[in-house]
């Protein structure tokens, strides 16, 4: 698996605030140059890269003379607004001196849940790749607070990797991967089950990192990346050559393998990016027909409809016990479903006065996970 990393062409590199700051929490231009240099070498090696970088809040705090990280969300958001331009300015200056042009992209998780916006962002990024411009992504902290509160862009970086169809996501961290209590480094994680059974129980010092990132957020991001079919490597961001060593297939950091069950891009969108507008509770027969017999969902198997949604929206599927086991695109609105729930397909026409198809969710529009 390590050797395959050599062939990665499109790489997303994520750097949290602590990679850019020194011990006192102030932005360090030396650290920024070290990170920039590593990304520059990736680009000069002929690969494509996107840099997901935090640091706006740290820059903003510095500009305002705040010595401690503010506690109020609005003030953190204000700091991000103050600092984002300064962050980009620092990157621009660095990369321009290396002959590289940069672009700023500000995204939010729920912005990417909208298929149209997701595709618009993808097109922009593709265009930037073809222009040979380095895209530098951060959360748009004025309108979203997900990454300020939890994760410091860990999840956002997975979404970006998914957006551009990256071969690899490298999370630069304070530590060189995950360590077990006995001091040994976890080199590779092959399945999600390993995270829950082995890793979580035996991890050493889960609070080692200084920022909101933390190990918990990284494991959550790793799981999501695995499900999306993107290998994720966590390496130290404090060593100048760890990114290069990782891309040379060397044994550094912790590598999370992509799940072999990686689905189609539409399937991934249904499963992970699309907003869920409601939920359908299914009876046992329908649950089994979907899971085991690979059938489509018919109205007769639905026992309850929650939420308000239109034809074409994504809803969650749950068992009678309330366990969510999948998602799908509905072909009937919640208003229609309120009338045809539990009914046979041949009755739909008479009840609604029209019928689209027999299937409420077609097999091809379903993503199930158990
Ligand atoms: N997007 C924020 C930033 O760039 C997140 C980092 C944080 O919460 O400190 O500063």
């Amino acid at each position: 698996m390590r050797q395959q990393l050599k062939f990665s062409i499109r790489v997303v590199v994520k750097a949290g605030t602590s990679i850019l700051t020194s011990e006192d929490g102030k932005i360090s231009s030396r650290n920024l140059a070290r990170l920039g240099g590593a990304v520059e070498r990736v680009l000069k090696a002929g690969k494509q890269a996107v840099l997901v970088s935090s640091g706006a809040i740290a820059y903003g705090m510095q500009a305002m003379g705040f010595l401690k990280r503010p506690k109020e969300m609005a003030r953190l958001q204000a700091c991000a607004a103050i600092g984002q331009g300064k962050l980009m300015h620092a990157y621009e200056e660095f990369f321009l001196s290396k002959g590289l042009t940069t672009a700023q992209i500000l995204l939010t998780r729920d912005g990417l849940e909208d298929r149209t916006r997701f595709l618009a962002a993808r097109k922009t990024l593709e265009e930037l790749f073809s222009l040979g411009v380095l895209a530098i992504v951060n959360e748009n902290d004025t309108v979203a607070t997900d990454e300020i509160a939890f994760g410091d862009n860990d999840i956002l970086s997975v979404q970006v990797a998914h957006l551009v169809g990256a071969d690899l996501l490298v999370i630069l961290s304070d530590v060189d991967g995950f360590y077990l209590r006995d001091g040994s480094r976890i080199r590779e994680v092959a399945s999600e089950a390993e995270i829950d059974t082995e890793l979580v129980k035996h991890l050493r010092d889960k609070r080692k990192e200084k920022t909101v990132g933390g190990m918990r957020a990284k494991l959550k991001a790793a799981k999501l990346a695995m499900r999306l079919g993107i290998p994720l490597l966590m390496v130290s961001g404090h060593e100048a050559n760890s990114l290069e060593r990782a891309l040379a297939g060397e044994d550094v950091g912790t590598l999370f393998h992509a799940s072999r069950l990686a689905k189609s891009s539409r399937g991934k969108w249904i499963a992970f990016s699309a907003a869920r507008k409601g939920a359908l509770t299914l009876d046992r027969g329908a649950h089994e027909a979907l899971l085991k017999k690979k059938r489509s969902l018919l109205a007769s198997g639905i026992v309850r409809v929650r939420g308000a949604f239109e034809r074409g929206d994504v809803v969650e599927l749950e068992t009678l016990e309330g366990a969510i086991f999948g998602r799908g695109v509905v072909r009937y609105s919640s208003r229609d479903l309120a009338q045809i729930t539990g009914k046979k397909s041949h009755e739909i026409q008479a009840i609604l006065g029209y019928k689209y198809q027999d299937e409420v969710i077609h097999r091809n529009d379903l993503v199930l996970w158990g």
Side-chain angles (χ1 to χ4, degrees), residues 15 23 37 76 114 126 131 141 147 157 162 200 221 248 309:
E23 281 299 316
L76 287 167
D114 180 291
E126 283 300 337
L131 291 169
D141 290 326
E147 299 290 352
S157 69
H162 170 42
V200 171
F309 48 84

Side-chain angles (χ1 to χ4, degrees), residues 43 49-50 100-104 125 127-136:
L43 294 171
V50 174
L100 290 163
T101 306
T102 51
Q104 169 184 265
L125 280 154
E127 199 59 31
L128 290 168
F129 281 131
S130 67
L131 291 169
V133 170
L134 171 67
I136 302 179

Side-chain angles (χ1 to χ4, degrees), residues 17 53-58 69 80 84 87 138-139 141 147-149 152-153 212:
T17 305
S53 174
S54 316
I57 291 180
R69 184 180 165 96
Q84 180 62 30
L87 174 68
N138 198 355
E139 182 179 59
D141 290 326
E147 299 290 352
I148 299 182
D152 195 11
N153 286 350
V212 285

Side-chain angles (χ1 to χ4, degrees), residues 87-364:
L87 174 68
M88 280 313 293
H89 180 69
Y91 276 129
E92 236 164 60
E93 218 168 48
F94 175 84
F95 285 110
L96 214 53
S97 75
K98 309 288 176 193
L100 290 163
T101 306
T102 51
Q104 169 184 265
I105 302 226
L106 297 177
L107 297 171
T108 59
R109 284 192 216 168
D110 49 340
L112 292 174
E113 286 181 348
D114 180 291
R115 184 72 176 161
T116 316
R117 292 188 189 180
F118 179 90
L119 293 174
R122 172 177 279 177
K123 272 195 187 156
T124 307
L125 280 154
E126 283 300 337
E127 199 59 31
L128 290 168
F129 281 131
S130 67
L131 291 169
V133 170
L134 171 67
I136 302 179
V137 179
N138 198 355
E139 182 179 59
N140 186 351
D141 290 326
T142 303
V143 296
T145 55
D146 302 277
E147 299 290 352
I148 299 182
F150 179 80
D152 195 11
N153 286 350
D154 285 328
I155 298 287
L156 189 73
S157 69
V158 180
Q159 286 186 318
V160 170
H162 170 42
L163 191 64
V164 299
D167 308 308
L168 177 67
L169 166 60
V170 181
I171 292 197
L172 299 174
S173 163
D174 285 332
V175 282
D176 173 36
F178 285 91
Y179 280 81
L180 293 178
R181 276 196 215 106
D182 66 7
S184 57
R185 172 166 54 88
I186 301 164
R187 294 183 156 73
E188 306 207 3
V189 179
S191 72
E192 249 189 81
E194 264 178 58
I195 297 185
D196 295 326
T197 52
E198 296 300 314
L199 243 145
V200 171
K201 268 187 243 148
H202 306 296
L203 263 195
R204 188 181 73 181
D205 197 1
K206 294 176 189 132
R207 288 153 305 163
K208 179 134 190 163
E209 283 188 297
K210 288 165 260 165
T211 56
V212 285
M215 290 309 192
R216 221 156 43 89
K218 296 220 164 26
L219 285 178
K220 208 175 151 199
K223 277 191 189 178
L224 184 59
M226 290 174 112
R227 284 187 214 164
L228 288 168
I230 304 161
L232 182 152
L233 183 66
M234 189 177 128
V235 290
S236 163
H238 296 297
E239 287 152 35
N241 60 358
S242 51
L243 186 57
E244 273 167 308
R245 289 181 62 201
L247 289 172
E250 284 185 39
D251 178 24
V252 285
T254 301
L255 175 65
F256 295 84
H257 293 201
S259 154
R260 257 163 284 183
L261 299 170
K263 302 177 187 75
S264 70
S265 138
R266 180 170 158 80
K268 285 179 196 169
W269 174 75
I270 294 172
F272 307 112
S273 300
R276 14 199 211 299
K277 298 282 172 63
L280 306 179
T281 309
L282 309 193
D283 66 19
R284 274 184 236 298
H287 180 208
E288 219 181 280
L290 259 52
L291 273 188
K292 303 213 174 111
K293 299 183 193 142
K294 315 261 178 258
R295 298 264 168 81
S296 295
L297 175 66
L298 304 178
S300 56
I302 304 172
V303 294
R304 202 158 67 102
V305 179
R306 271 194 289 119
F309 48 84
E310 298 299 329
R311 176 174 148 81
D313 281 343
V314 172
V315 298
E316 273 177 337
L317 302 174
E318 59 181 33
T319 62
L320 289 173
E321 291 75 32
I324 292 166
F325 67 94
R327 280 178 166 203
V329 180
V330 279
R331 297 192 168 181
Y332 289 89
S333 70
S334 50
R335 291 177 304 281
D336 286 349
L337 283 180
Q339 298 183 65
I340 60 171
T341 285
K343 300 284 195 273
K344 296 265 181 284
S345 303
H346 65 79
E347 296 175 282
I348 295 178
Q349 174 73 40
I351 298 170
L352 298 178
Y354 55 85
K355 177 160 116 175
Y356 300 115
Q357 284 99 1
D358 282 353
E359 299 88 9
V360 172
I361 300 180
H362 191 272
R363 180 80 227 154
N364 297 342

